Amino acid sequence: QVQLVESGGKLVQAGGSLRLSCAASGRTFSSYDMGWFRQAPGKEREFVGAISGSGGHTYYADSVKGRFTSSRDNAKNTVYLQMNSLKPEDTAVYYCAARPLYSSGSWYYTNNYDYWGQGTQVTVSS
């Protein structure tokens, strides 16, 4: 069982930066690949990025590639999402999610993750 708690969301102006954190419980954090998703009002939850258990592999949605970067500190059981050059269309509730290493299925789909945080609100004003 893994419990995830996101933090760092707030109101920021367009062009600004923000770093989200996701703290995980448990002693085997490195045994989980981590994903970031977001959900805007009236829209489905969508993939933002993901990072492998070791941190050696990362994946991003085209809409955030070059602007967002995910990293992790396994000693602190924490994964991060650095968001730069924010745009109003980045406004959403951001979620982190975990799935065990070597899980089957695409990184990009919500149903391939077993554990979810409660989300943190990011609002980008124009």
Side-chain angles (χ1 to χ4, degrees):
Q1 188 78 7
V2 177
Q3 293 183 328
L4 304 172
V5 179
E6 302 95 335
S7 62
K10 64 178 184 180
L11 173 64
V12 63
Q13 287 189 335
S17 298
L18 206 56
R19 188 176 81 160
L20 305 183
S21 300
C22 172
S25 64
R27 298 177 293 175
T28 58
F29 182 60
S30 59
S31 298
Y32 292 88
D33 298 323
M34 300 297 295
W36 287 97
F37 292 78
R38 66 187 181 188
Q39 188 166 18
K43 295 188 177 181
E44 292 188 353
R45 194 169 297 188
E46 65 174 3
F47 173 79
V48 174
I51 185 166
S52 61
S54 66
H57 299 279
T58 54
Y59 309 89
Y60 301 99
D62 288 343
S63 59
V64 307
K65 203 171 292 182
R67 300 188 298 122
F68 290 12
T69 303
S70 186
S71 61
R72 64 192 295 162
D73 185 338
N74 286 341
K76 295 183 178 180
N77 281 15
T78 302
V79 62
Y80 305 97
L81 184 67
Q82 178 67 43
M83 305 186 294
N84 299 328
S85 302
L86 283 161
K87 305 175 181 180
E89 51 263 43
D90 294 319
T91 295
V93 177
Y94 282 71
Y95 299 89
C96 65
R99 67 180 209 169
L101 293 182
Y102 312 119
S103 295
S104 61
S106 169
W107 296 75
Y108 296 87
Y109 298 116
T110 59
N111 58 4
N112 292 329
Y113 289 82
D114 297 329
Y115 305 102
W116 290 84
Q118 84 291 347
T120 185
Q121 175 71 48
V122 173
T123 303
V124 184
S125 64
S126 57

